[in-house]
Amino acid sequence: QGFYYAGIVAIASVMTFAGMEAALLAGAISALLTYAIQSVAYPKPIRGSMTAATLRSSEWNRSPDAFEILDSEVTGRIRILVVQFQGHLFFGNVSMFSDGLKEIIRSNPEDKRPYIIIIDFTLVMGIDSSAAQAIVKLRDSLTNQFGVKLSIFVPGSSEGFPCEINLSRELNSQSIPNDEKTTMANGSHANHQRLLARLTGTQVCDDLDKALVYAEDSLIAMVNPCLLYDNIKIAFLGNEIKQIKSIDDEKYYAIEHLTRMCPGEELKLVERFFSYFCREIYNEGDILWRQGAKSDSAKLLISGGLIASLENEAGTTETISIGSIIGESGLVEHFNRNSTVHVLENDTVLYSLSRESWEVLKEKDPKCAHLLYAIAVRYLTLRVQHCSNRIFETRCLPI
């Protein structure tokens, strides 16, 4: 941007002292220099591309049927294309990133082309007005020319894209009134149609993880929208679908979460494992544990809200989703806590496995204790495959 402003000042100075014709010449020279410098500094506006087949989002507590869809060679994450832009996007490389993306899509056979495209702008440092207009046109081309069902644009920051115009508003063509969102808590045909409309078109997501969650929701909705109305708290819908009316319902709900974390295990074994947990209630502002404290329990979040944070770092946090177990690695490996966990809502319900219960479980029922080991391995696998570790973000926390 500084170079642009320097060019404007130079043109104005030449026009003041040497006249209009000299100013026109200075403008032409300034434009050529801008193009040359930007082209040399950032010769490839497209950093790379890949399918999302091996990427994982933070939405780890989906149902087995939903994961089956996402792992499918026909309907799964392989139909998501992730493209990363970098450097400065300006009038000189508009055709390079626009035509380059189209060529990437054309390189796939028509029956294997992506349903969803995620364009990541996290490494983009500046976008001029010409490039911004080209991006809006590119959005339309992806739908009209290639039949892309959903285009997701990722600025990499909650502050939006690095350009003068409000590109987020231009791109984010989808919107649903708040009163419609609240009607999605059942599986009616009308609600399916509203949900599908919400999950197609264009969307702007702050970071790659949110974009991947959104894309996964869209893939699931294309096959079976009912799977998005399950018991798990889904960030997209913004509320819990299932109303827990009693302690018995709550325990059934907790066992259902554990069953999802232990695919293939007998229900009786999962129920026996859960019998070692104790119910706990926390309120907003409470601290479950602090970073560096001894690990004396693992906890299953049933309702409410938690957030993990790393101390002595620049605001690194991670929201913990409903149905997650936290503290399992510290309990198993006798590690100290790697993060501080705060309670965000009143009446937050957790079920806790204490160290004393864990030691009893290992001694008296090793087959049942195996479930916690399996959960710890599963979480480790998902974190290793998380998109932040596969690309360049740094949002995963060791909780």
Side-chain angles (χ1 to χ4, degrees):
Q1 294 284 33
F3 187 82
Y4 293 152
Y5 293 138
I8 293 173
V9 171
I11 294 170
S13 299
V14 171
M15 184 170 59
T16 300
F17 297 105
M20 182 62 70
E21 292 183 0
L24 291 173
L25 179 61
I29 294 173
S30 176
L32 290 173
L33 284 174
T34 299
Y35 175 78
I37 292 173
Q38 297 280 33
S39 298
V40 170
Y42 306 101
K44 293 181 179 180
I46 297 180
R47 179 174 183 256
S49 64
M50 64 184 295
T51 72
T54 59
L55 299 180
R56 297 295 180 269
S57 73
S58 60
E59 196 66 47
W60 297 338
N61 299 320
R62 298 186 187 276
S63 67
D65 290 338
F67 276 119
E68 184 177 351
I69 292 172
L70 296 177
D71 294 335
S72 167
E73 292 290 326
V74 178
T75 62
R77 297 185 189 91
I78 198 169
R79 307 310 290 267
I80 302 173
L81 177 65
V82 181
V83 182
Q84 294 177 300
F85 288 176
Q86 65 178 353
H88 287 272
L89 305 182
F90 68 110
F91 67 91
N93 60 15
V94 162
S95 61
M96 292 178 67
F97 70 74
S98 182
D99 294 343
L101 176 54
K102 294 176 183 178
E103 189 58 36
I104 291 172
I105 299 173
R106 290 193 189 99
S107 65
N108 296 290
E110 287 195 17
D111 61 337
K112 293 184 178 181
R113 286 182 178 174
Y115 295 151
I116 300 170
I117 291 182
I118 299 175
I119 305 179
D120 192 350
F121 291 78
T122 303
L123 295 183
V124 172
M125 293 180 284
I127 304 174
D128 73 4
S129 58
S130 299
Q133 293 173 7
I135 292 167
V136 175
K137 292 180 181 178
L138 178 61
R139 174 203 63 184
D140 299 333
S141 296
L142 293 176
T143 301
N144 300 329
Q145 189 174 349
F146 298 101
V148 173
K149 300 180 184 298
L150 174 63
S151 300
I152 304 178
F153 297 84
V154 181
S157 168
S158 59
E159 297 178 0
F161 295 89
C163 59
E164 296 293 333
I165 68 172
N166 190 340
L167 188 55
S168 296
R169 184 178 60 191
E170 295 291 329
L171 290 172
N172 206 351
S173 63
Q174 299 301 111
S175 61
I176 289 184
N178 291 330
D179 59 341
E180 281 196 17
K181 289 184 183 179
T182 59
T183 66
M184 292 184 179
N186 64 70
S188 70
H189 176 73
N191 285 333
H192 287 349
Q193 294 301 112
R194 282 195 290 269
L195 182 59
L196 286 170
R198 169 77 178 179
L199 294 172
T200 56
T202 309
Q203 181 67 25
V204 175
C205 296
D206 290 344
D207 57 53
L208 194 56
D209 178 64
K210 292 177 182 177
L212 192 54
V213 170
Y214 200 97
E216 289 174 347
D217 284 347
S218 179
L219 289 175
I220 294 169
M222 291 177 195
V223 178
N224 185 359
C226 292
L227 294 177
L228 295 181
Y229 303 117
D230 67 10
N231 304 344
I232 304 302
K233 183 178 181 181
I234 298 175
F236 167 71
L237 295 178
N239 56 9
E240 283 189 78
I241 304 305
K242 187 170 185 175
Q243 299 297 321
I244 301 175
K245 299 179 180 179
S246 68
I247 297 296
D248 289 339
D249 281 347
E250 188 179 85
K251 290 181 178 179
Y252 177 83
Y253 186 43
I255 291 170
E256 187 175 344
H257 282 292
L258 289 175
T259 302
R260 291 191 178 188
M261 296 181 213
C262 307
E265 299 292 350
E266 295 180 359
L267 178 59
K268 290 184 178 179
L269 185 64
V270 177
E271 290 175 341
R272 197 160 76 239
F273 176 56
F274 178 68
S275 68
Y276 287 86
F277 285 71
C278 295
R279 186 175 188 266
E280 298 175 344
I281 298 179
Y282 295 88
N283 291 313
E284 181 181 358
D286 291 344
I287 298 176
L288 292 190
W289 57 67
R290 288 195 177 275
Q291 185 174 328
K294 290 185 178 180
S295 297
D296 57 1
S297 65
K299 299 182 187 296
L300 170 64
L301 177 61
I302 297 301
S303 65
L306 300 175
I307 188 168
S309 60
L310 295 184
E311 297 181 9
N312 304 318
E313 293 198 15
T316 307
T317 62
E318 179 179 348
T319 302
I320 300 167
S321 60
I322 297 289
S324 297
I325 282 187
I326 60 174
E328 76 291 338
S329 62
L331 185 63
V332 168
E333 297 292 338
H334 294 268
F335 291 154
N336 290 340
R337 300 300 190 188
N338 290 311
S339 60
T340 299
V341 179
H342 296 265
V343 180
L344 297 178
E345 300 177 17
N346 289 327
D347 299 322
T348 291
V349 177
L350 299 103
Y351 279 80
S352 179
L353 177 66
S354 68
R355 178 162 297 282
E356 292 76 14
S357 297
W358 170 239
E359 296 299 332
V360 172
L361 181 61
K362 287 192 296 180
E363 180 180 352
K364 294 186 175 181
D365 197 346
K367 184 178 180 181
C368 193
H370 164 75
L371 296 184
L372 188 61
Y373 291 119
I375 290 170
V377 171
R378 180 174 185 267
Y379 274 12
L380 175 61
T381 302
L382 290 169
R383 285 187 175 276
V384 168
Q385 291 183 297
H386 188 269
C387 56
S388 64
N389 295 323
R390 295 294 315 283
I391 310 291
F392 48 80
E393 290 184 56
T394 54
R395 67 160 297 281
C396 265
L397 301 187
I399 59 175

